[in-house]
Amino acid sequence: MARLTRAQTQERTRAAVLVAARAEFAERGYRDVKVDAIAERAELTRGAVYSNFPGKRALYLAVLADLVERTPPPPGARPGRTLEEALGALARTWVTPVPDGIGRALPPELAGEVADVLGALAGVNAVLLGLATEALAGVRWDGPIHTRRVRLAELVLALLHGARQLDSLPGGAGAPGAYDVVSACERLAGLVMDDWWAPAEPAVEAREDDREWVTPEGLVDLVRGRGIEPGDGVGAVLGDGVVAVLGVRRWDAVERVARCGVPVTIALVTDTPTEVLPLVRAVVGELCAAVRVAFPETAWPEVRLVCDPGGRLATAAGFAETGDTTEAAALLSGGRVVATAEGTGAVTAVLGVRSLSREG
């Protein structure tokens, strides 16, 4: 029998810990689970658990992310042809029970600990759902100020999250029925709101560059739920467009980046990747999975969203030092990095370099 490599052994240990942790959380709940009990259940030492996860919170978030990524679409689910049908399908996917044992609503004590990140992710999800909604509704952008559907998306998500939180109470006290939630989301499709967006001027200047671009392997696009391969449709990482690197405190820039008008790949980075990025995979991953079920592929947001825990994508773009406050961008053209910028409005700044070169 072939001897396992160190990486294979570590992956096997990590998988065993996740299986044991999922069972413990399902049986005891987040508050009462002990890391020692998880180690015993996995037949590992306490040190083996901590070598893969810094603590119980990181373990729970990793389990949740793993469950989201492994959950198949509801049987018979198909994308809607109209916005009303799509929002109804989105809600139906959201409220369909999943036998995961731990539920999808974060335990109150854990939600409180990561409230700032959850707030940022709520904004990311609203932008992604807003983009899909605009595409299916045929919203066209012209002029310096654009009508959008992000506020509508915020209402839909508030309804879905609120219903889930009520359903997580003992006996589902006060939770609306699944039919009512789906029906309400369908009716929101016809709501017209005063919602507009105007791009801001960059606060930084771009630097011209000229070096080969090499796409890191193993990248997974949360929007499409699959790895990024050469020739795989839309995306700056294939040689043309923009790579944007955003830290957790700059995730409010996702809309500005996503609406830049060129293929864009967003690398999400943070100072605490072992906890924050699994939360991203769980929260944003679930919304993106529901969008893929409910909306036709032509309406999926034309942006790639990548968790970059090791900073490989950021480093390839030329930004080796990244963290919670990072906002940076690299312009790619013909498989080469031709401009970079760091700071507020970095994407707009590097696109200005492209515009100047064309004028010249």
Side-chain angles (χ1 to χ4, degrees):
M1 187 173 180
R3 189 172 182 178
L4 296 177
T5 65
R6 181 176 180 181
Q8 289 172 327
T9 300
Q10 186 174 22
E11 183 57 34
R12 178 174 289 189
T13 299
R14 181 182 174 86
V17 171
L18 286 176
V19 170
R22 175 179 176 178
E24 285 290 314
F25 288 129
E27 292 177 10
R28 304 176 188 276
Y30 176 76
R31 181 181 303 172
D32 295 331
V33 165
K34 305 296 182 185
V35 172
D36 286 345
I38 293 173
E40 183 178 351
R41 189 165 197 145
E43 299 182 346
L44 295 167
T45 65
R46 190 168 185 264
V49 175
Y50 278 114
S51 69
N52 286 275
F53 303 94
K56 184 170 73 170
R57 182 167 66 186
L59 255 172
Y60 189 93
L61 295 174
V63 167
L64 194 60
D66 186 65
L67 287 171
V68 166
E69 291 166 354
R70 292 174 181 270
T71 300
R78 64 177 185 272
R81 294 166 296 179
T82 65
L83 182 55
E84 181 177 348
E85 290 180 354
L87 290 181
L90 181 85
R92 198 171 294 109
T93 299
W94 197 271
V95 300
T96 298
V98 179
D100 56 31
I102 66 172
R104 295 299 174 83
L106 288 180
E109 59 270 39
L110 178 53
E113 293 171 356
V114 296
D116 55 339
V117 181
L118 286 176
L121 293 178
V124 173
N125 276 353
V127 170
L128 294 175
L129 181 56
L131 291 172
T133 298
E134 292 163 17
L136 188 55
V139 173
R140 296 186 178 276
W141 285 41
D142 49 21
I145 298 178
H146 309 296
T147 302
R148 63 179 191 165
R149 297 290 179 92
V150 174
R151 289 181 62 193
L152 174 63
E154 288 173 342
L155 282 178
V156 171
L157 292 172
L159 173 60
L160 294 177
H161 282 294
R164 174 173 290 175
Q165 289 294 335
L166 289 172
D167 191 54
S168 68
L169 296 174
Y179 174 83
D180 292 333
V181 173
V182 172
S183 180
C185 286
E186 289 173 339
R187 284 167 181 57
L188 284 175
L191 183 62
V192 178
M193 304 186 70
D194 181 17
D195 190 8
W196 58 274
W197 179 82
E201 292 297 320
V204 296
E205 293 185 359
R207 303 178 298 274
E208 292 190 12
D209 203 338
D210 184 22
R211 55 191 170 82
E212 183 182 5
W213 168 259
V214 179
T215 304
E217 297 181 355
L219 299 175
V220 176
D221 173 22
L222 292 179
V223 173
R224 286 157 189 80
R226 62 174 183 252
I228 297 176
E229 302 292 341
D232 187 24
V234 181
V237 295
L238 304 181
D240 292 280
V242 169
V243 171
V245 184
L246 298 179
V248 63
R249 295 189 181 179
R250 296 295 185 96
W251 289 351
D252 58 342
V254 164
E255 180 167 14
R256 181 169 66 243
V257 173
R259 296 192 190 277
C260 70
V262 300
V264 60
T265 296
I266 301 175
L268 301 179
V269 298
T270 174
D271 293 327
T272 52
T274 55
E275 291 189 354
V276 171
L277 294 186
L279 184 59
V280 174
R281 288 165 47 211
V283 174
V284 178
E286 182 180 22
L287 183 276
C288 290
V291 168
R292 292 194 298 270
V293 170
F295 286 74
E297 188 169 357
T298 53
W300 296 356
E302 293 186 353
V303 59
R304 293 187 185 278
L305 202 62
V306 177
C307 287
D308 196 18
R312 293 181 301 122
L313 187 56
T315 300
F319 311 110
E321 299 294 329
T322 60
D324 287 352
T325 60
T326 298
E327 182 174 345
L331 177 65
L332 309 183
S333 180
R336 301 187 71 79
V337 178
V338 297
T340 60
E342 297 180 68
T344 303
V347 167
T348 307
V350 295
L351 289 177
V353 169
R354 186 184 68 168
S355 299
L356 289 174
S357 64
R358 286 183 175 180
E359 290 174 6

